[in-house]
Amino acid sequence: MAKKVLVIGACGQIGTELTMRLREMYGAEQVIASDIREGNDQLMQSGPFEQLDAMNKEQVEDVCLHYEIDEVFLMAAMLSATGEKFPKKAWNLNMDSLMNVLDLGREGKVEKIFWPSSIAVFGPTTPKENTPQHTIMEPTTVYGISKQTGERWCEYYHNKYGVDVRSIRYPGLISWKTQPGGGTTDYAVDIFHQAISKGSYECFLKPDTALPMMYMEDAIRATVEIMNADPTSIKERSSYNLSGMSFTPEEIAQEIKKNLPEFSISYRPDFRQEIADSWPGSIDDQQARKDWNWEHKYALDSMVQEMLQQLKTD
Ligand code: AKB
């Protein structure tokens, strides 16, 4: 029998595309989208939707039991920039939602869990280039602290209770279909929309701020691949480093200019600069490549080409 999947936070940047991909793979009725708010028409009309608050264990449990859910993808979270404005809210949402789902795993009510971590688990004392899988982690944002704590809980629930939880440390994600919300890497999506609509962009990071990034297509494929990998191949039950590309605002602007010669960029760094400065510039993901055969497809040039093409015809 085909598996039943619940996506919590299905209306967000990753959740929307992940839900659509899972519906293509497993059948629309097998994939239950859920969120605290409604999503875009395509998501709402393509399969079942349940309104729920990820922080409410009873609601999450009811939906899991009602639909006989096998796998949960918990994508609800408050990201780095918004998290700095609402630290307690970010902590509560990011931690409570995870503990609710981990407990459902421990109680045997769901079989497998995906939970996203982030490059935000790293901090200013982490080696900046080719950041290893295991290294110093002293995050300075509340989002990073919640993701690092979450990683420890995932590993703990796996080791103590045998919960099959799998996780990836996502870099900044770039997509033409959905907009990010409240992150530090959001500029790398916004720049395309502004380049097309206005021909210029004012960036909230300095020109030479290198950050790890990934095209959404690669990120969704990684998420599906890690969830479908043999459990014995998943050696990291905290979270896996994952790398696609790494670039600065200046480099992506140059790449956009190759396609839109009139495009111009200016810089006005704000509070997000400090967050970006605390994160790595590039990530070593050898372990994911070795354990579950991860391979990225998109580099800066192919990603820029596709983003501009898709947004121009949209
Ligand atoms: C953010 O910028 O907060 C996120 C992330 C890197 O996890 N995109």
Side-chain angles (χ1 to χ4, degrees):
M1 216 170 63
K3 60 184 162 194
K4 275 250 156 116
V5 176
L6 172 66
V7 182
I8 302 176
C11 302
Q13 187 201 15
I14 313 173
T16 303
E17 293 198 35
L18 179 65
T19 304
M20 297 311 294
R21 179 66 51 86
L22 294 170
R23 284 183 173 161
E24 273 163 38
M25 289 173 62
Y26 303 133
E29 292 307 309
Q30 301 302 111
V31 180
I32 320 306
S34 74
D35 207 303
I36 198 148
R37 61 189 163 97
E38 294 199 345
N40 66 29
D41 289 351
Q42 199 192 19
L43 181 100
M44 298 303 291
Q45 284 155 21
S46 61
F49 177 83
E50 290 285 341
Q51 196 144 17
L52 65 75
D53 177 357
M55 293 167 70
N56 185 324
K57 166 112 193 281
E58 219 175 284
Q59 277 181 19
V60 180
E61 181 168 343
D62 283 351
V63 171
C64 286
L65 296 181
H66 175 75
Y67 287 97
E68 299 181 23
I69 295 296
D70 301 298
E71 292 182 8
V72 177
F73 292 76
L74 171 57
M75 312 312 285
M78 194 182 286
L79 299 187
S80 57
T82 312
E84 290 310 286
K85 293 186 183 150
F86 308 104
K88 279 299 278 282
K89 258 194 185 163
W91 175 258
N92 292 341
L93 170 61
N94 296 356
M95 296 319 302
D96 289 357
S97 57
L98 175 61
M99 297 315 286
N100 287 344
V101 172
L102 285 177
D103 278 333
L104 290 176
R106 179 165 63 102
E107 292 156 13
K109 290 171 182 150
V110 296
E111 270 170 33
K112 216 191 269 183
I113 295 163
F114 178 82
W115 174 77
S117 186
S118 159
I119 54 154
V121 292
F122 301 117
T125 51
T126 302
K128 253 204 159 358
E129 294 312 323
N130 282 323
T131 301
Q133 173 72 38
H134 298 284
T135 186
I136 301 169
M137 289 190 203
E138 295 179 324
T140 48
T141 61
V142 70
Y143 173 65
I145 297 169
S146 73
K147 288 296 179 188
Q148 195 202 20
T149 311
E151 287 193 8
R152 305 268 53 85
W153 276 118
C154 287
E155 193 177 72
Y156 186 87
Y157 269 60
H158 176 75
N159 290 342
K160 294 275 172 184
Y161 310 123
V163 173
D164 190 353
V165 53
R166 303 168 184 210
S167 175
I168 285 169
R169 292 175 184 147
Y170 288 129
L173 298 181
I174 301 160
S175 156
W176 58 272
K177 290 183 192 158
T178 48
Q179 295 267 13
T184 303
T185 57
D186 293 10
Y187 91 85
V189 177
D190 212 23
I191 194 169
F192 288 100
H193 291 273
Q194 305 281 332
I196 289 171
S197 64
K198 290 201 335 216
S200 64
Y201 180 64
E202 186 178 84
C203 185
F204 56 75
L205 296 180
K206 290 188 202 156
D208 59 349
T209 313
L211 285 171
M213 300 275 185
M214 182 175 285
Y215 193 48
M216 186 64 88
E217 180 64 29
D218 275 344
I220 298 291
R221 188 168 47 77
T223 308
V224 169
E225 282 176 8
I226 192 175
M227 281 299 267
N228 288 341
D230 191 282
T232 56
S233 67
I234 308 297
K235 313 273 190 242
E236 290 298 330
R237 293 297 183 153
S238 52
S239 192
Y240 276 95
N241 273 9
L242 203 71
S243 170
M245 58 190 95
S246 174
F247 56 78
T248 64
E250 196 172 8
E251 285 164 347
I252 191 174
Q254 283 308 323
E255 202 57 46
I256 292 175
K257 251 172 154 358
K258 284 186 195 162
N259 298 271
L260 300 173
E262 305 296 303
F263 174 66
S264 68
I265 185 163
S266 56
Y267 300 93
R268 195 206 287 238
D270 66 16
F271 73 100
R272 289 168 281 194
Q273 184 65 45
E274 197 182 327
I275 302 177
D277 286 343
S278 77
W279 289 351
S282 60
I283 298 287
D284 177 342
D285 64 355
Q286 273 176 58
Q287 185 132 11
R289 289 175 192 267
K290 187 165 125 258
D291 289 358
W292 44 277
N293 301 321
W294 158 246
E295 258 179 77
H296 76 279
K297 291 211 174 111
Y298 285 85
L300 177 60
D301 52 354
S302 46
M303 178 274 287
V304 168
Q305 294 277 340
E306 195 162 313
M307 283 292 287
L308 289 174
Q309 221 167 43
Q310 295 289 359
L311 287 173
K312 277 201 267 185
T313 52
D314 210 24

